């Protein structure tokens, strides 16, 4: 009897394991968080919408309450800026200077392909957010300039004159970091009226 009571009080053991990892556009693993156990839930919630947003911006706009749920069919999963910045951090320090010894050989090739994959994902997202800005917005001008530079970096090839493959990878990392900044500012930052904006 005692064993039965003890078994009933023990937390449920994992019934499924899942391995969490990130791959680039070529299917190569770029980061691996290992295998974790998934414990069963007593009751699974059934919803056809995303949970209300609780970010500071939405709370301000709704008077302290979470924003209305977003229809799952219209929602777009945000890019993983954390992973993108982690990739940038392999090559650059917070000030944009080279960070530590630069990878070489196959490791550098994988890192460069990962940076290119991140840019392929982030470019259209920043373009989408930029299109909603007024034409005379300084934010729009800066974002468009960064988008143009990102496309140039994607089409460029490594050059011995500018540091070879390592220099090329660092330039990709810098423009990716700048696009992450633009995405954060446009998607999550508070938007204030800019000086000289007479669009209203």
């Amino acid at each position: 009897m005692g064993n039965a009571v003890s078994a009933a009080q023990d937390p449920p053991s994992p019934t499924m394991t899942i391995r969490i990892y990130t791959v680039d556009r070529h299917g190569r693993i770029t980061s691996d968080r290992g295998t974790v156990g998934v414990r069963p839930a007593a009751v699974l919630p059934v919803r056809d919408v995303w949970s209300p947003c609780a970010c500071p911006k939405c709370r301000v706009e709704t008077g302290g309450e979470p924003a209305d749920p977003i229809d799952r069919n219209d929602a777009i999963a945000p890019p993983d800026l954390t992973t993108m910045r982690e990739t940038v951090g392999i090559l650059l320090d917070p000030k944009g200077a080279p960070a530590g010894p630069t990878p070489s050989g196959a490791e550098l090739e994988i890192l460069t392909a990962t940076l290119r994959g991140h840019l392929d994902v982030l470019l259209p997202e920043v373009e989408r957010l930029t299109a909603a800005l007024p034409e005379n917005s300084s934010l729009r001008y800066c974002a468009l300039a960064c988008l143009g530079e990102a496309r140039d970096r994607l089409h460029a090839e490594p050059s011995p004159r500018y540091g070879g493959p390592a220099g090329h990878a660092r330039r990709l990392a810098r423009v990716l970091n700048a696009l992450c900044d633009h995405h954060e500012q446009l998607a999550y930052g508070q938007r204030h009226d800019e000086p000289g904006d007479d669009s209203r």
Side-chain angles (χ1 to χ4, degrees):
M1 184 67 178
N3 291 338
V5 173
S6 176
Q9 294 176 347
D10 288 339
S13 59
T15 58
M16 181 180 72
T17 58
I18 183 171
R19 181 182 174 196
I20 304 175
Y21 59 92
T22 304
V23 299
D24 60 23
R25 60 177 177 169
H26 302 291
R28 292 178 291 220
I29 297 176
T30 58
S31 66
D32 194 336
R33 301 182 186 179
T35 302
V36 297
V38 179
R39 298 182 182 278
V43 179
L44 293 177
V46 179
R47 296 175 58 89
D48 58 358
V49 295
W50 293 109
S51 301
C53 181
C55 74
K57 178 176 183 294
C58 290
R59 286 188 178 277
V60 169
E61 293 179 349
T62 58
E65 296 297 328
D68 292 335
I70 301 172
D71 191 323
R72 192 178 293 270
N73 293 327
D74 295 331
I76 300 175
D80 188 353
L81 299 186
T82 300
T83 298
M84 294 181 183
R85 291 193 187 280
E86 288 175 354
T87 306
V88 170
I90 298 173
L91 290 169
L92 304 175
D93 65 17
K95 295 183 179 180
T102 302
S104 60
E107 186 179 358
L108 181 60
E109 290 181 6
I110 293 174
L111 183 57
T112 301
T114 302
L115 290 167
R116 296 177 67 88
H118 288 329
L119 286 169
D120 286 339
V121 170
L122 195 55
L123 266 167
E125 286 300 302
V126 175
E127 284 179 332
R128 180 178 62 83
L129 295 170
T130 303
L133 296 174
E135 291 188 1
N136 62 343
S137 167
S138 61
L139 291 178
R140 178 188 179 96
Y141 177 83
C142 293
L144 288 175
C146 188
L147 288 166
E149 182 181 358
R151 291 192 189 92
D152 289 342
R153 298 301 185 205
L154 281 173
H155 291 117
E157 296 294 333
S159 169
R161 182 179 179 184
Y162 299 109
H168 177 62
R170 284 194 292 269
R171 288 189 290 277
L172 289 174
R174 288 190 182 99
V175 76
L176 174 61
N177 193 53
L179 278 181
C180 287
D181 290 342
H182 282 296
H183 188 280
E184 286 182 335
Q185 186 175 24
L186 297 175
Y188 308 116
Q190 296 290 342
R191 297 184 184 176
H192 301 285
D193 290 338
E194 298 179 66
D197 185 358
D198 299 324
S199 58
R200 292 183 297 174

